[in-house]
Amino acid sequence: MKIAVIGGGGVRSIFLAKSLMQQAKRLGIKHIVFMDNDSRKLNIFGKMSAKIAKLIDPDIEFEITSNPELAIKDADYIITTIRVGGDEMRVRDEREALSLGILGQETTGAAGLSFAMRSIPALQEYCELARKLASPDVKIFNFTNPAGVVSQTLRDLGYDFTFGICDAPSGLLRSFAKLYDVSPDRITGDCYGLNHLSYFNSIKLDGKEILPELLKNPDIYKKTDMRVFKPDLVNHFSCVLNEYLYYFYYREEAVENILRAGITRGEVIRDINEQMLQELEKMDVDQDFEACLKVFEKWYGKRELAYMSNETGVKREESEYHFDIYSPDEGGYAGVALRYIEAVGEQQDKEMILCAPNEGAIPGLRDDDVVELTCTIHKGNILTHKVNPDPIPMTLIRQIKEYERLASYAIRNRSITASIDALMVHPLVNSYSYAKKLVDRYIDLNQDYIGGWH
């Protein structure tokens, strides 16, 4: 089995390498290729990933390359995690929205449309290469943001072998397992909604419902990603909320906090990544790997500590960050892909949370709407779990799904009018005049990447 990672020079590549290599032999993975068109990052993070791969299992073939054809050829599975335009374009996307007092955040906010304008044409090229060069049964797991719009658009373009993945829901379940001091496989949950817009209306430990007692546990507001919510909101919904729902339910607080901080999340990431790269460029990954890893730990720890802190005003508990190559892997987004591979390879039914077509699972949405749901993988087929959603969450889900449909149409047809419509129905914009201004600015900003729209 061959796995290709498109975007294998990203900062999080070493986590991917660890996940894939620790499970490779057990799952029958014989060949892994990390590809990136950013030679600077590939020569640093790609090389660090290769070193980690060799330390974990030198018998598995591991390559880094800037050649997409070489990476994709004969691949059975492909993970895409790309950032067209780099960190600087993310900063500009988010600042354009913030200048109008609108939340820019690249996955849930208005900036996501701009990012999708750049991401989808590039991903379409990789999907076409996969059709020509990869295994006939290839599956592509997309982690590129905004994953909801991207996953919907790729499906609308006919790439039915693509699936969206996100580690936020599975990460929440792992954090609950830590609260109960049990192994992650003993905690399960029923998740429904959209990417970065999902809800758990059931959490079980060894098959027993624990949601009511969990919501009363004060530690979930201190030791899990539920820390960004106030208990009154959680009790109002009586369910576990994806942390990104903060941007919808505390919209004005998020904008005020960012403006008060004077720096966006994109700017934090850009500055940390650049300082890390500059320090690592002066070092030799092959000859001084341990020192390189220490540099990575220092800067990645700063990145994690700052996660959503400016936006929410909630600071994470400070601790020294450590990346352990040999510790049991916690999964992350590679874990989502590996769980699917495991289910197919072992011919065993497995539950997982995935972005896939609705197929009647969530009432009120179309069958071909890409949603984020608990699914069962059965003989390679994805069976979505039917849910009985609460009416208030469904109001927001339907509204964002309409935005995603319009954004997909706009990008596929290069339509300015549909782009305006998309942002106009987005609840964080909700204005024709603002939508028109933003689309005009994003079309102009992305000229070098998207060409002419009409």
Side-chain angles (χ1 to χ4, degrees), residues 93-107:
D93 290 341
E94 293 180 346
R95 276 292 173 189
E96 289 290 357
L98 200 59
S99 70
L100 298 175
I102 294 169
L103 184 77
Q105 211 281 330
E106 71 166 5
T107 56

PDB file of all heavy atoms in Angstrom, residues 93-107:
ATOM      1  N   ASP A  93      -6.377  37.769   3.823  1.00  0.00           N
ATOM      2  CA  ASP A  93      -7.787  37.350   3.811  1.00  0.00           C
ATOM      3  C   ASP A  93      -8.509  37.835   5.063  1.00  0.00           C
ATOM      4  O   ASP A  93      -9.591  38.423   5.004  1.00  0.00           O
ATOM      5  CB  ASP A  93      -7.893  35.820   3.775  1.00  0.00           C
ATOM      6  CG  ASP A  93      -7.461  35.205   2.461  1.00  0.00           C
ATOM      7  OD1 ASP A  93      -7.410  35.917   1.448  1.00  0.00           O
ATOM      8  OD2 ASP A  93      -7.163  33.991   2.459  1.00  0.00           O
ATOM      9  N   GLU A  94      -7.915  37.533   6.214  1.00  0.00           N
ATOM     10  CA  GLU A  94      -8.569  37.828   7.489  1.00  0.00           C
ATOM     11  C   GLU A  94      -8.617  39.328   7.766  1.00  0.00           C
ATOM     12  O   GLU A  94      -9.597  39.834   8.333  1.00  0.00           O
ATOM     13  CB  GLU A  94      -7.856  37.075   8.612  1.00  0.00           C
ATOM     14  CG  GLU A  94      -8.018  35.555   8.493  1.00  0.00           C
ATOM     15  CD  GLU A  94      -7.337  34.764   9.594  1.00  0.00           C
ATOM     16  OE1 GLU A  94      -6.496  35.345  10.330  1.00  0.00           O
ATOM     17  OE2 GLU A  94      -7.639  33.564   9.716  1.00  0.00           O
ATOM     18  N   ARG A  95      -7.571  40.036   7.367  1.00  0.00           N
ATOM     19  CA  ARG A  95      -7.541  41.490   7.605  1.00  0.00           C
ATOM     20  C   ARG A  95      -8.575  42.228   6.759  1.00  0.00           C
ATOM     21  O   ARG A  95      -9.136  43.240   7.187  1.00  0.00           O
ATOM     22  CB  ARG A  95      -6.135  42.026   7.339  1.00  0.00           C
ATOM     23  CG  ARG A  95      -5.178  41.898   8.503  1.00  0.00           C
ATOM     24  CD  ARG A  95      -5.579  42.808   9.645  1.00  0.00           C
ATOM     25  NE  ARG A  95      -4.786  42.596  10.853  1.00  0.00           N
ATOM     26  CZ  ARG A  95      -5.067  43.153  12.025  1.00  0.00           C
ATOM     27  NH1 ARG A  95      -6.126  43.936  12.152  1.00  0.00           N
ATOM     28  NH2 ARG A  95      -4.316  42.921  13.075  1.00  0.00           N
ATOM     29  N   GLU A  96      -8.826  41.753   5.548  1.00  0.00           N
ATOM     30  CA  GLU A  96      -9.830  42.393   4.692  1.00  0.00           C
ATOM     31  C   GLU A  96     -11.196  42.369   5.373  1.00  0.00           C
ATOM     32  O   GLU A  96     -11.936  43.363   5.368  1.00  0.00           O
ATOM     33  CB  GLU A  96      -9.919  41.702   3.326  1.00  0.00           C
ATOM     34  CG  GLU A  96      -8.729  41.941   2.413  1.00  0.00           C
ATOM     35  CD  GLU A  96      -8.656  43.376   1.888  1.00  0.00           C
ATOM     36  OE1 GLU A  96      -9.555  44.187   2.178  1.00  0.00           O
ATOM     37  OE2 GLU A  96      -7.678  43.680   1.182  1.00  0.00           O
ATOM     38  N   ALA A  97     -11.545  41.233   5.972  1.00  0.00           N
ATOM     39  CA  ALA A  97     -12.828  41.128   6.656  1.00  0.00           C
ATOM     40  C   ALA A  97     -12.836  41.969   7.931  1.00  0.00           C
ATOM     41  O   ALA A  97     -13.795  42.708   8.197  1.00  0.00           O
ATOM     42  CB  ALA A  97     -13.126  39.666   6.989  1.00  0.00           C
ATOM     43  N   LEU A  98     -11.751  41.886   8.687  1.00  0.00           N
ATOM     44  CA  LEU A  98     -11.691  42.590   9.961  1.00  0.00           C
ATOM     45  C   LEU A  98     -11.764  44.102   9.781  1.00  0.00           C
ATOM     46  O   LEU A  98     -12.263  44.822  10.652  1.00  0.00           O
ATOM     47  CB  LEU A  98     -10.409  42.196  10.698  1.00  0.00           C
ATOM     48  CG  LEU A  98     -10.370  42.438  12.213  1.00  0.00           C
ATOM     49  CD1 LEU A  98     -11.500  41.682  12.910  1.00  0.00           C
ATOM     50  CD2 LEU A  98      -9.025  42.004  12.776  1.00  0.00           C
ATOM     51  N   SER A  99     -11.282  44.589   8.632  1.00  0.00           N
ATOM     52  CA  SER A  99     -11.334  46.037   8.371  1.00  0.00           C
ATOM     53  C   SER A  99     -12.765  46.543   8.279  1.00  0.00           C
ATOM     54  O   SER A  99     -13.021  47.737   8.417  1.00  0.00           O
ATOM     55  CB  SER A  99     -10.580  46.365   7.076  1.00  0.00           C
ATOM     56  OG  SER A  99     -11.288  45.877   5.935  1.00  0.00           O
ATOM     57  N   LEU A 100     -13.717  45.616   8.041  1.00  0.00           N
ATOM     58  CA  LEU A 100     -15.135  45.975   7.991  1.00  0.00           C
ATOM     59  C   LEU A 100     -15.850  45.593   9.284  1.00  0.00           C
ATOM     60  O   LEU A 100     -17.081  45.663   9.366  1.00  0.00           O
ATOM     61  CB  LEU A 100     -15.810  45.263   6.807  1.00  0.00           C
ATOM     62  CG  LEU A 100     -15.294  45.618   5.410  1.00  0.00           C
ATOM     63  CD1 LEU A 100     -15.965  44.761   4.356  1.00  0.00           C
ATOM     64  CD2 LEU A 100     -15.508  47.098   5.124  1.00  0.00           C
ATOM     65  N   GLY A 101     -15.075  45.156  10.279  1.00  0.00           N
ATOM     66  CA  GLY A 101     -15.669  44.734  11.543  1.00  0.00           C
ATOM     67  C   GLY A 101     -16.269  43.346  11.484  1.00  0.00           C
ATOM     68  O   GLY A 101     -17.089  42.966  12.330  1.00  0.00           O
ATOM     69  N   ILE A 102     -15.855  42.560  10.463  1.00  0.00           N
ATOM     70  CA  ILE A 102     -16.388  41.215  10.252  1.00  0.00           C
ATOM     71  C   ILE A 102     -15.319  40.188  10.633  1.00  0.00           C
ATOM     72  O   ILE A 102     -14.137  40.364  10.319  1.00  0.00           O
ATOM     73  CB  ILE A 102     -16.799  41.020   8.775  1.00  0.00           C
ATOM     74  CG1 ILE A 102     -17.970  41.946   8.447  1.00  0.00           C
ATOM     75  CG2 ILE A 102     -17.150  39.570   8.478  1.00  0.00           C
ATOM     76  CD1 ILE A 102     -18.272  42.020   6.964  1.00  0.00           C
ATOM     77  N   LEU A 103     -15.734  39.128  11.290  1.00  0.00           N
ATOM     78  CA  LEU A 103     -14.805  38.074  11.654  1.00  0.00           C
ATOM     79  C   LEU A 103     -14.218  37.445  10.390  1.00  0.00           C
ATOM     80  O   LEU A 103     -14.957  37.006   9.510  1.00  0.00           O
ATOM     81  CB  LEU A 103     -15.510  37.004  12.491  1.00  0.00           C
ATOM     82  CG  LEU A 103     -14.599  35.908  13.000  1.00  0.00           C
ATOM     83  CD1 LEU A 103     -13.771  36.396  14.187  1.00  0.00           C
ATOM     84  CD2 LEU A 103     -15.400  34.683  13.420  1.00  0.00           C
ATOM     85  N   GLY A 104     -12.898  37.388  10.305  1.00  0.00           N
ATOM     86  CA  GLY A 104     -12.268  36.844   9.115  1.00  0.00           C
ATOM     87  C   GLY A 104     -12.001  35.361   9.197  1.00  0.00           C
ATOM     88  O   GLY A 104     -11.950  34.678   8.197  1.00  0.00           O
ATOM     89  N   GLN A 105     -11.820  34.814  10.369  1.00  0.00           N
ATOM     90  CA  GLN A 105     -11.353  33.444  10.624  1.00  0.00           C
ATOM     91  C   GLN A 105     -11.508  32.505   9.414  1.00  0.00           C
ATOM     92  O   GLN A 105     -12.585  32.377   8.852  1.00  0.00           O
ATOM     93  CB  GLN A 105     -12.118  32.879  11.820  1.00  0.00           C
ATOM     94  CG  GLN A 105     -11.346  31.888  12.648  1.00  0.00           C
ATOM     95  CD  GLN A 105     -11.304  30.506  12.042  1.00  0.00           C
ATOM     96  OE1 GLN A 105     -12.209  30.102  11.345  1.00  0.00           O
ATOM     97  NE2 GLN A 105     -10.230  29.793  12.293  1.00  0.00           N
ATOM     98  N   GLU A 106     -10.403  31.864   9.027  1.00  0.00           N
ATOM     99  CA  GLU A 106     -10.327  31.249   7.699  1.00  0.00           C
ATOM    100  C   GLU A 106     -11.192  30.013   7.500  1.00  0.00           C
ATOM    101  O   GLU A 106     -11.349  29.564   6.362  1.00  0.00           O
ATOM    102  CB  GLU A 106      -8.868  30.897   7.377  1.00  0.00           C
ATOM    103  CG  GLU A 106      -8.317  29.735   8.179  1.00  0.00           C
ATOM    104  CD  GLU A 106      -7.023  29.203   7.600  1.00  0.00           C
ATOM    105  OE1 GLU A 106      -6.508  29.773   6.641  1.00  0.00           O
ATOM    106  OE2 GLU A 106      -6.542  28.188   8.121  1.00  0.00           O
ATOM    107  N   THR A 107     -11.745  29.438   8.539  1.00  0.00           N
ATOM    108  CA  THR A 107     -12.593  28.272   8.328  1.00  0.00           C
ATOM    109  C   THR A 107     -14.064  28.589   8.510  1.00  0.00           C
ATOM    110  O   THR A 107     -14.906  28.140   7.731  1.00  0.00           O
ATOM    111  CB  THR A 107     -12.198  27.125   9.284  1.00  0.00           C
ATOM    112  OG1 THR A 107     -12.256  27.594  10.631  1.00  0.00           O
ATOM    113  CG2 THR A 107     -10.810  26.622   8.988  1.00  0.00           C
TER     114      THR A 107
END
